[in-house]
Amino acid sequence: MGDSQYSFSLTTFSPSGKLVQIEHALTAVGSGQTSLGIKAANGVVIATEKKLPSILVDETSVRDISSLFFHKSQPFSCLLFRCHFLILFFFLNYLWQVQKIQILTPNIGVVYSGMGPDFRVLVRKSRKQAEQYHRLYKEPIPVTQLVRETAAVMQEFTQSGGVRPFGVSLLVAGYDDKGPQLYQVDPSGSYFSWKASAMGKNVSNAKTFLEKRYTDDMELDDAVHTAILTLKEGFEGQISGKNIEIGIIGADKKFRVLTSAEIDDYLAEVE
Amino acid sequence: MSRGSGGGYDRHITIFSPEGRLFQVEYAFKAVKAAGITSIGVRGKDSVCVVTQKKVPDKLLDHTSVTHLFPITKYLGLLATGVTADARTLVQQARNEAAEFRFRYGYEMPVDVLAKWIADKSQIYTQHAYMRPLGVVAMVLGIDEEYGPRLYKCDPAGHYFGHKATSAGLKEQEAINFLEKKMKNDPQFTYEETVQTAISALQSVLQEDFKATEIEVGVVRKENPVFRVLSTEEIDEHLTAISERD
């Protein structure tokens, strides 16, 4: 990972024992668009603001790929399933458009706050790690393993020579044999499991709001409504299906990104 | 007590500043503006057009060698605004990548795949200290088999988006304001309208009327998906049409 010209790390300890580059990376995350995640009793929801820089940006280049993905992941048999898994990943890396919530495996999704380009790199690495696990063990990667490996990559970039830390925090949402799970991974590479969390610009208000509203026996639909209300709190302008993104995973263990029509339906229910 | 900016290196290589910014990337954006050229790209219903200024600083220069429009493959074009030397290396690498893609996968590299590749390469330069970010904003254009005409803009930070219309360079913000007004109601421009919108946007933002030799125009059209640089005669026709229209 280290570049030969830079055999020394750029992230070094300050006299007070802090790693300032990581702190700066967290500041970069804190100025990114708000995103949040909520773990319900029967699923997980992650959501984010999606404010495009200008009306000239092509919205259709912000495409919903979950329709393609559904079709590909029906397991007819073990062998075919594996082929479809691979085809899915092949397509995923080429179909990336400006969609902030991304699928890592059929049952794990991820959203970020911070620098988009850094996020793309992490998504690509995580997908590859998930696929390598699958090739070795012939079963889907558990959420904790994937989070751990992604976090390890992020930690590498805080210690290797000639690189800077990633300027993103991730919220990983998944559903496997252990049930619904939500993890937050920071630029330092540390990760925690959360019942509900937020990151980005409006983080303190969002977290206070979530603390008040969260209950352990929440259903997925309630969680989606709560997520929308939390985003609405700090939202500048008119919230609609076009400027937020929501991803959910339920007991069916299939992660999908909601279409803007579905989001508008939820918004109408919330009004 | 934190040492603040980590020894002041945050301005020299791409590490974070205390406010969480990457100064080298921001300076790369400034380098794009310092080149003194403005470029505009417009996407129509079945064509894409990019326009840029052609400034030949010295009469002794061979003006045919002064260009910012580069074909990457027969079907993909790239308009590089900013530092010309960085533009040339980017074009060289992009050409190589597109040719390898065609060889490896058996079909032409789509526009968005090329744009993503350029953006991912730019991201690497923002994270690894051994290479500085390139001072180039690249506009990639082509006709996608499924989605039709496509225009993407990639910047030194590693961002890339598809655009209905966009601009880069010195008067980027003014041009975008102009284009936002024009594209507000999602007009479906014909080929002629696309080219004329792009040229007239440039003229209005720079507040001068151009001669055909002072601008470069590149187009792709659905009926002829080859990337083409317009000749001075064709540019003249469009300029005349614009002045007659006004």
Side-chain angles (χ1 to χ4, degrees), chain A residues 116-258:
Chain A
D118 287 7
F119 177 61
R120 289 204 305 268
V121 173
L122 285 171
V123 166
R124 179 182 262 144
K125 285 193 202 274
S126 302
R127 283 174 177 162
K128 192 164 185 186
Q129 282 165 337
E131 185 55 28
Q132 283 170 343
Y133 182 99
H134 185 271
R135 192 159 56 112
L136 186 53
Y137 297 110
K138 293 283 186 285
E139 63 167 45
I141 188 170
V143 186
T144 42
Q145 304 268 45
L146 186 56
V147 169
R148 190 187 316 149
E149 291 185 17
T150 308
V153 169
M154 291 173 83
Q155 190 283 337
E156 267 180 57
F157 276 72
T158 68
Q159 203 176 11
S160 300
V163 291
R164 63 162 172 81
F166 285 97
V168 289
S169 276
L170 306 175
L171 273 173
V172 183
Y175 201 127
D176 60 16
D177 298 327
K178 299 205 180 62
Q181 291 164 77
L182 176 69
Y183 285 91
Q184 179 173 335
V185 194
D186 284 333
S188 58
S190 66
Y191 61 96
F192 294 102
S193 174
W194 290 83
K195 298 180 191 173
S197 180
M199 18 186 241
K201 263 193 215 125
N202 207 29
V203 59
S204 44
N205 287 342
K207 278 199 169 169
T208 322
F209 192 89
L210 285 170
E211 275 175 29
K212 279 195 223 135
R213 290 267 178 148
Y214 183 82
T215 61
D216 282 318
D217 53 0
M218 245 180 171
E219 297 266 315
L220 189 54
D221 271 343
D222 299 327
V224 178
H225 290 135
T226 310
I228 291 180
L229 286 168
T230 319
L231 276 180
K232 223 175 159 190
E233 279 285 296
F235 202 86
E236 289 161 19
Q238 181 67 2
I239 198 170
S240 82
K242 285 203 197 274
N243 47 25
I244 60 173
E245 259 184 47
I246 300 183
I248 57 172
I249 180 162
D252 59 353
K253 296 195 194 165
K254 289 203 170 57
F255 183 85
R256 65 184 197 90
V257 180
L258 300 181

Side-chain angles (χ1 to χ4, degrees), chain A residues 27-35 49 100 113-115 199-202:
Chain A
T27 317
V29 170
S31 50
Q33 290 179 6
T34 313
S35 34
E49 287 180 4
K100 288 182 73 174
S113 275
M115 303 168 71
M199 18 186 241
K201 263 193 215 125
N202 207 29

Side-chain angles (χ1 to χ4, degrees), chain A residues 56 58 63 118 120 162 164, chain B residues 43 120 123 126 129 147 162:
Chain A
L56 293 175
D58 189 349
R63 245 182 323 139
D118 287 7
R120 289 204 305 268
R164 63 162 172 81
Chain B
R43 185 185 84 192
D120 285 344
Q123 192 279 339
T126 73
Y147 299 101

